[in-house]
Amino acid sequence: MITLYGFKQAFGLVDASPFVLKVDAFLRMAQLPYKLTSSVAYLRKSPKGKLPFIEDGNAKIGDSSFIFEYLNQKPEVTLNDWLSAEQRAQAYLIGKSLDENFYWCLLYSRWICDHNWPKTRQVFFGHLPFPFSSIVPFAVRRATRSALYKQGMGRHSAAEIEHIFNRSLASLSTLLGDKRYIMGELVCELDATVFGMLAQFILADVDSRFNTIARGYPNLQRYCDNFAQRYYGAAA
């Protein structure tokens, strides 16, 4: 039995982290038996000091990309078998674009945008007693702002970040077209990443400009709805 360690259920999703959600989606797609256990405290036992990570027998693997590589080595996992070498290369690069660029738009929308911050603060820190409920959110938000600046996304204006976000969505919408899944009529590994990211905007119980923009792409909305219905029974 594989154990997947994540943060917490939030915003109506299995996990508020797109990286945890994408591993959860992969495990469901591959029909691998697993259990999800969630707590920020698991950061202390993570091999890379971040979540998600999995334990599979004596193996402990951190980082969603390395988790995917590990799981794909299992003989019963055949999600990518139908893809050509060229399609696999394209899928890898698309997934990396989402992990390394699109993700930072999510961080910005949740942690920096003043409209979203009260809900983010309540979801992640509402359980803390005073004075930690005042000190910790401020410190984490400041650290997130610093991380965004160092990565580069935080150096852009609000309008520029929205433009980057919209271009990524428009590109995904074009790639998806009328297909059921991102690479065709069958799922592949990339769908776990696409769903893990898009669900944070399209299916999340959050109403902001970023979420509204994402929901304005009908085929991306349909994609998330169909994926959630197939693998989660309804909502993710």
Side-chain angles (χ1 to χ4, degrees):
M1 173 73 72
I2 296 169
T3 301
L4 167 62
Y5 294 90
F7 287 99
K8 66 178 295 183
Q9 184 176 352
F11 304 116
L13 302 172
V14 163
D15 201 282
S17 163
F19 297 104
V20 176
L21 183 56
K22 81 179 202 179
V23 175
D24 184 89
F26 184 104
L27 290 164
R28 291 171 185 252
M29 291 159 55
Q31 299 182 21
L32 293 171
Y34 78 102
K35 63 178 180 179
L36 170 63
T37 181
S38 303
S39 172
V40 69
Y42 290 127
L43 286 167
R44 293 195 295 268
K45 64 179 291 187
S46 169
K48 295 184 181 291
K50 62 180 184 177
L51 300 176
F53 72 96
I54 64 168
E55 287 183 337
D56 184 21
N58 294 325
K60 183 184 290 187
I61 302 95
D63 189 279
S64 60
S65 295
F66 287 113
I67 293 171
F68 280 10
E69 286 190 27
Y70 172 83
L71 295 175
N72 276 319
Q73 293 175 12
K74 292 181 176 290
E76 65 269 37
V77 177
T78 59
L79 293 173
N80 294 331
D81 284 5
W82 64 278
L83 298 176
S84 67
E86 181 179 358
Q87 287 175 315
R88 292 187 190 200
Q90 292 169 343
Y92 175 79
L93 292 175
I94 294 167
K96 279 301 169 188
S97 173
L98 295 172
D99 286 349
E100 307 297 341
N101 187 276
F102 191 76
Y103 165 69
W104 293 93
C105 295
L106 175 64
L107 277 191
Y108 174 83
S109 71
R110 282 187 181 168
W111 294 86
I112 308 304
C113 290
D114 291 332
H115 176 76
N116 281 352
W117 172 240
K119 184 160 191 174
T120 300
R121 178 173 180 165
Q122 177 60 36
V123 165
F124 289 103
F125 309 110
H127 65 286
L128 294 177
F130 184 82
F132 301 106
S133 58
S134 297
I135 297 171
V136 175
F138 172 79
V140 175
R141 192 185 195 198
R142 182 175 59 184
T144 303
R145 191 185 301 273
S146 176
L148 279 158
Y149 187 82
K150 291 175 181 177
Q151 185 270 344
M153 189 68 72
R155 298 171 189 261
H156 302 312
S157 68
E160 288 170 333
I161 294 173
E162 185 177 304
H163 176 72
I164 292 169
F165 177 65
N166 213 349
R167 284 202 66 182
S168 293
L169 289 170
S171 297
L172 280 175
S173 178
T174 298
L175 286 170
L176 178 62
D178 294 328
K179 302 190 299 295
R180 185 170 180 83
Y181 299 109
I182 198 70
M183 298 298 288
E185 296 308 306
L186 300 175
V187 291
C188 66
E189 174 188 318
L190 178 60
D191 288 291
T193 299
V194 173
F195 177 76
M197 293 290 175
L198 285 180
Q200 305 292 334
F201 292 103
I202 292 177
L203 301 183
D205 181 21
V206 178
D207 290 316
S208 74
R209 178 159 178 78
F210 280 79
N211 297 76
T212 299
I213 291 171
R215 292 167 186 150
Y217 289 87
N219 65 337
L220 298 183
Q221 176 77 62
R222 170 182 53 80
Y223 171 88
C224 286
D225 289 341
N226 288 341
F227 192 101
Q229 183 61 47
R230 177 175 179 180
Y231 292 106
Y232 291 87

